[in-house]
């Protein structure tokens, strides 16, 4: 929708920023492909999408000057067939975004040109090592920069996962994780903990400090309007037992 004359995408505007290595071409291709593919939707919601392609010196100058306008999410694009563009994200763009937005702006990383990467991988003898190294690089990025919400490989040329890139950007804005979970501390946020505690007390009808199968099923019906499946209940109990070994 609109607010104060500003167009918003996913509850806010989006910026697709390509690094100097990949240039603004990658972000422009991704944006153009998303327009051809069609707008993504989340459930019954139809958030308005507004993507801006910007890269190179323009993006650096804007970030150093204090930010890229009124944005709620950034999509960083790099070339999968040029490893130096990935290192550029890690050593330049992400630290710059972190300084500019203090780690509060969600970022989606899109590895573009997956069609070329697939062709090279099929011919590469060390394919498994390459994939393992790629996964480790992504894990390192996620651990170091907590504001990075997702890393997705895509192909603007073949329209592969393009909708997924912008869908994740929309979700990062519409359903932010920070009110629920403190990524830096690695634990549930205080307000979320209080909400969970209140919900627990509401459904602990016999006040024994535990939720019985019947009480959990009541919560399931009230929250989702469907009965609890026995398989899911067993799965929940398994998770609780794993994290609380002393709990029966």
């Amino acid at each position: 929708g609109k607010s104060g004359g500003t167009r918003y995408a996913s509850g806010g505007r989006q910026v697709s920023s390509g690094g100097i290595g990949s240039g603004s071409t990658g972000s422009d291709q991704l944006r153009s492909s998303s327009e051809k593919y069609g707008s993504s939707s989340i459930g019954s919601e139809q958030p308005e999408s507004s993507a801006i392609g910007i890269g190179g010196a323009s993006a650096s100058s804007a970030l150093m000057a204090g930010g890229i306008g009124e944005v709620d999410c950034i999509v960083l694009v790099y070339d999968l067939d040029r490893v130096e563009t990935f290192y550029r994200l890690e050593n330049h763009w992400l630290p710059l975004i972190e300084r500019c937005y203090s780690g509060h702006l969600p970022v989606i990383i899109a590895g573009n040109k997956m069609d070329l990467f697939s062709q090279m991988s099929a011919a590469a003898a060390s394919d498994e090592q390459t994939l393992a190294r790629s996964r480790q690089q992504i894990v390192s990025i996620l651990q170091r920069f907590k504001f990075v919400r997702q890393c997705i490989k895509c192909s603007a040329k073949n329209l592969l996962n393009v909708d997924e890139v912008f869908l994740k950007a929309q979700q990062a804005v519409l359903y932010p994780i920070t009110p629920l979970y403190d990524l830096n501390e690695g634990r549930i946020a205080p307000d979320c903990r209080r909400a969970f505690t209140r919900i627990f007390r509401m459904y602990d009808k016999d006040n024994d400090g535990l939720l019985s199968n019947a009480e959990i099923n009541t919560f399931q019906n009230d929250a989702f309007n469907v009965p609890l499946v026995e398989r899911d209940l067993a799965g929940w109990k398994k998770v609780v037992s794993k994290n609380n070994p002393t709990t029966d």
Side-chain angles (χ1 to χ4, degrees):
K2 294 186 178 181
S3 176
T6 302
R7 294 186 66 214
Y8 283 86
S10 318
R13 291 172 61 189
Q14 293 175 15
V15 167
S16 181
S17 177
I20 294 176
S22 59
S24 61
T25 304
S27 57
D28 287 338
Q29 284 181 339
L30 199 64
R31 180 185 58 176
S32 298
S33 297
S34 71
E35 293 170 351
K36 293 176 184 177
Y37 196 97
S39 59
S40 301
S41 62
I42 302 175
S44 60
E45 300 179 6
Q46 295 289 340
E48 181 183 348
S49 295
S50 176
I52 304 171
I54 182 172
S58 299
S60 288
S61 298
L63 288 169
M64 290 178 180
I68 312 176
E70 298 181 28
V71 299
D72 286 327
C73 184
I74 289 179
V75 177
L76 277 176
V77 185
Y78 73 98
D79 286 355
L80 284 169
D81 61 335
R82 296 173 59 194
V83 67
E84 68 271 16
T85 64
F86 182 88
Y87 294 141
R88 183 68 170 164
L89 296 186
E90 187 175 16
N91 299 319
H92 175 73
W93 290 109
L94 290 173
L96 189 57
I97 292 171
E98 186 174 37
R99 289 196 299 271
C100 182
Y101 295 101
S102 302
H104 297 309
L105 194 74
V107 169
I108 305 297
I109 293 179
N112 192 28
K113 300 186 180 179
M114 190 177 179
D115 47 298
L116 298 180
F117 180 82
S118 298
Q119 292 171 10
M120 290 191 307
S121 294
S126 58
D127 184 43
E128 292 186 5
Q129 294 180 352
T130 300
L131 292 176
R133 183 167 61 251
S134 176
R135 285 193 294 268
Q136 185 55 46
Q137 289 171 336
I138 295 300
V139 169
S140 177
I141 285 279
L142 294 172
Q143 290 177 339
R144 180 181 173 189
F145 301 100
K146 303 296 185 181
F147 55 88
V148 176
R149 296 291 181 263
Q150 197 91 15
C151 297
I152 304 172
K153 294 178 181 178
C154 63
S155 170
K157 179 180 179 180
N158 295 342
L159 298 179
L160 180 63
N161 289 342
V162 171
D163 61 329
E164 186 73 7
V165 170
F166 287 93
L167 179 62
K168 293 301 182 183
Q170 291 172 345
Q171 290 176 336
V173 176
L174 289 175
Y175 310 117
I177 191 174
T178 48
L180 304 177
Y181 192 79
D182 189 325
L183 293 168
N184 293 319
E185 297 293 332
R187 60 187 179 187
I188 295 175
D191 286 346
C192 183
R193 180 179 292 274
R194 282 191 287 271
F196 281 153
T197 300
R198 184 183 179 192
I199 293 171
F200 182 92
R201 290 172 177 169
M202 286 173 59
Y203 286 91
D204 183 20
K205 299 299 183 180
D206 55 11
N207 297 315
D208 64 349
L210 299 170
L211 290 182
S212 65
N213 291 1
E215 290 167 340
I216 294 177
N217 194 56
T218 299
F219 165 75
Q220 174 78 8
N221 274 307
D222 290 348
F224 305 105
N225 200 33
V226 292
L228 187 64
V229 178
E230 183 63 31
R231 180 179 64 255
D232 292 337
L233 181 59
W236 288 359
K237 289 182 176 181
K238 185 176 181 180
V239 172
V240 171
S241 299
K242 182 178 179 180
N243 290 278
N244 297 273
T246 59
T247 303
D248 293 332

